[in-house]
Amino acid sequence: MSTQAAAFDWLPQEVMENIAFFAATTTDVGPPSDLLPLLLSCRSIYHALSLDAHPHLCARIFKYKFDLSAAVRRLGQQVAMPEVLSKELRKRFVYLKRIRTRTDSQICTPGTSNSPIVGELLWLAYLMVLENDGKNVKQLREYAGMEQWLMEYWFDDNGASLASKTLSEDQWPLDNEHNSLAMWLFWLFLRPDRFERTERSYRTFATVLKPTALAANKYNICHAPWEDFVPRSCLLEPTSINHYSNTYQLTPPTMAIPAILSYLSLVGPLVGSTRINYKGPHASISFPSSEPLNQSLEWEADWQRCMNLAENPLASQFPGAYKVGSLQGVWEGVFTYTEFTTYAALLSGRSPSILHNCMVAQHRQTWKLREYHLTVSRGTDCVTGGAESQSLGSGDPLKAFFPSGVRIHEHAGTAEVHEPGKPAPLSYRQPSACGVENRGFECPEIQDIIVIGEGHSAWGQFNVIGRVRPCDGFVSILKEYAEGDRGQWLYRGYLVGGINGSLSGRWRDTLSARNANGYEGCFVMSRRR
């Protein structure tokens, strides 16, 4: 030992740290376990290279093992300080090892599913995905085995979600923070092509996903009241999250949206007339990226939504939960509906078993959308009402928040919106006309966003108009069939992810009162490629 120590004594500290860094990074995934034999070789080497005393070495290891650019972009340069990264490195591998050993995926003792550490574990995994530029998901998938953990959590008879247990008792799966985060992670890690499409797998997935996706009266699609265009506060208290040695207030997204995405990805293609042509949506992290260092940009709005919904009062402008121009283009997808008598029984208080064997029909549809913005005058050529009195009023939520009697006339790159009682029309412009298409997510000059378009489904041709809610990017679109007696239908949901993302949520009838449960179904739309 003394001879080995003497061999290192003459080396400069920088060289020794480089040797330690090389030992710690011999593998891309997993903890720096190959560093341990070097540290244990003798006392002098341990003191010279101890991770406790060398945060700069830990920071280098962290940057090699994990992604950092998204966290710096969103939280500030202070998260990249060596002391912060040293603590974060240790924290992450404690939780990744815990995922790897399946410590919390199943019920071991009463109350396990409510353990605070499960919440910390799920938040860490969710935030790592939102900050993923390639390394984070690799650690979660290849080292920790996050996909297997989630399968046990949701579908094992003893899964910690308690979904199998509650459904076996004909009760609804729990709608809580843990399950919301775990459902999002299940969708984000989902690779449908890896699952065998059999009746057995159909029953496995449908048992959990179907009730959560279809029961609109049990699982809300948004935390702020859907019928308020400018809600004052969120219906859910925010959670204090420790991330990069600092505390942040975050509100987790609802469980319904990823349940719908997962249901239509795994179960949808197995049933209905579209099973051959429609393969379902795909999670963004499953797509190869032409710019691997910028994958996290996919999730900028999703991250900001968690931040925005934790604020009190909620923002009335557009603070980043929606990326400008995201709805512009051609979209393809499906909408589903259940037998009306079945859904009526569900609204009357029937248990989940009413949905197990009910028919779920689905139809393909195509939307062609044009996005227009009302901007505040800031000394540019993009001039439209800077005064509050010149904004579009908030109308009936069942009409996608458009005021009664509003008239819209489209021109080249612009749309004139005439609201009854206003002295002059409001001039909305498409992103390219305002020069804001490349300004990223923070566009405080945008006062209102509307979408106009048309489309078709098996039921015929239709027109659509919609608005985007500022505080959280909640999208409401009114669909009106051009001919026949198909009527009007309100589509409500969120754009999940960026260019590879999907617009997902639920439609409902427009005849039921806004404060009453209506006849609802699911939908998913993905950008045509």
Side-chain angles (χ1 to χ4, degrees), residues 95-403:
Y95 285 110
L96 290 175
K97 286 180 179 179
R98 196 173 179 98
I99 296 171
R100 184 182 175 91
T101 57
R102 311 283 188 277
T103 305
D104 309 290
S105 59
Q106 298 187 44
I107 306 168
C108 298
T109 57
T112 297
S113 62
N114 293 320
S115 170
I117 200 168
V118 179
E120 295 170 7
L121 179 152
L122 289 168
W123 267 113
L124 175 63
Y126 178 66
L127 294 178
M128 283 178 64
V129 173
L130 295 191
E131 295 170 359
N132 175 58
D133 283 316
K135 298 176 183 178
N136 287 355
V137 164
K138 191 172 184 179
Q139 294 286 355
L140 286 164
R141 179 174 276 154
E142 297 182 16
Y143 172 72
M146 191 80 226
E147 292 163 304
Q148 294 79 11
W149 190 97
L150 290 165
M151 288 293 292
E152 289 185 5
Y153 182 92
W154 277 116
F155 304 109
D156 192 90
D157 289 342
N158 293 313
S161 66
L162 301 179
S164 295
K165 181 177 184 298
T166 54
L167 287 166
S168 68
E169 299 169 354
D170 208 10
Q171 301 294 318
W172 296 98
L174 300 177
D175 185 6
N176 55 30
E177 181 177 289
H178 291 181
N179 283 357
S180 293
L181 293 169
M183 187 64 79
W184 274 99
L185 287 166
F186 179 76
W187 158 247
L188 291 167
F189 278 92
L190 181 59
R191 292 185 284 186
D193 57 317
R194 296 188 59 189
F195 293 95
E196 186 179 3
R197 298 187 182 279
T198 63
E199 285 298 319
R200 180 178 180 181
S201 65
Y202 171 87
R203 288 193 298 271
T204 299
F205 296 125
T207 299
V208 172
L209 298 176
K210 192 175 183 180
T212 313
L214 299 183
N217 61 323
K218 294 293 183 180
Y219 303 98
N220 293 326
I221 56 173
C222 57
H223 287 311
W226 74 268
E227 63 270 22
D228 293 342
F229 189 65
V230 185
R232 293 183 177 180
S233 61
C234 186
L235 300 174
L236 186 70
E237 287 293 322
T239 301
S240 295
I241 303 300
N242 186 275
H243 193 47
Y244 285 99
S245 301
N246 201 358
T247 300
Y248 300 92
Q249 297 295 313
L250 299 175
T251 296
T254 62
M255 183 167 68
I257 296 294
I260 293 169
L261 287 163
S262 299
Y263 174 71
L264 291 178
S265 293
L266 291 172
V267 180
L270 294 173
V271 296
S273 59
T274 64
R275 63 184 179 275
I276 297 176
N277 297 322
Y278 182 64
K279 299 181 185 294
H282 296 275
S284 293
I285 65 170
S286 297
F287 280 96
S289 174
S290 59
E291 298 182 14
L293 297 180
N294 294 319
Q295 292 180 38
S296 58
L297 291 175
E298 286 277 324
W299 307 107
E300 211 78 359
D302 298 80
W303 154 260
Q304 194 61 47
R305 186 175 299 127
C306 293
M307 294 284 287
N308 292 355
L309 289 173
E311 296 179 354
N312 190 8
L314 295 175
S316 59
Q317 300 300 316
F318 282 91
Y322 177 81
K323 183 180 180 180
V324 170
S326 292
L327 290 175
Q328 180 92 6
V330 180
W331 297 76
E332 296 176 320
V334 297
F335 64 94
T336 72
Y337 57 95
T338 57
E339 299 165 302
F340 186 79
T341 53
T342 299
Y343 205 83
L346 180 68
L347 297 183
S348 298
R350 289 290 299 273
S351 56
S353 58
I354 190 70
L355 293 174
H356 286 167
N357 297 314
C358 76
M359 183 192 76
V360 180
Q362 61 178 276
H363 287 298
R364 293 195 68 176
Q365 62 177 343
T366 299
W367 294 353
K368 184 178 181 180
L369 303 180
R370 297 171 295 282
E371 181 175 315
Y372 295 94
H373 307 145
L374 179 67
T375 60
V376 178
S377 177
R378 297 201 172 179
T380 69
D381 293 331
C382 191
V383 179
T384 33
E388 186 67 25
S389 60
Q390 293 179 317
S391 62
L392 184 64
S394 177
D396 186 352
L398 293 171
K399 306 298 181 183
F401 298 110
F402 282 93

Side-chain angles (χ1 to χ4, degrees), residues 52-118:
D52 291 327
H54 296 84
H56 288 277
L57 176 59
C58 285
R60 289 181 64 190
I61 298 171
F62 181 94
K63 293 174 184 177
Y64 182 88
K65 298 277 187 178
F66 297 98
D67 299 304
L68 183 60
S69 61
V72 172
R73 185 172 66 245
R74 296 166 185 170
L75 304 176
Q77 191 63 41
Q78 72 278 0
V79 302
M81 295 176 61
E83 294 78 9
V84 173
L85 296 184
S86 177
K87 293 179 181 178
E88 189 70 14
L89 179 71
R90 296 169 182 271
K91 169 188 169 182
R92 291 197 178 187
F93 279 119
V94 166
Y95 285 110
L96 290 175
K97 286 180 179 179
R98 196 173 179 98
I99 296 171
R100 184 182 175 91
T101 57
R102 311 283 188 277
T103 305
D104 309 290
S105 59
Q106 298 187 44
I107 306 168
C108 298
T109 57
T112 297
S113 62
N114 293 320
S115 170
I117 200 168
V118 179

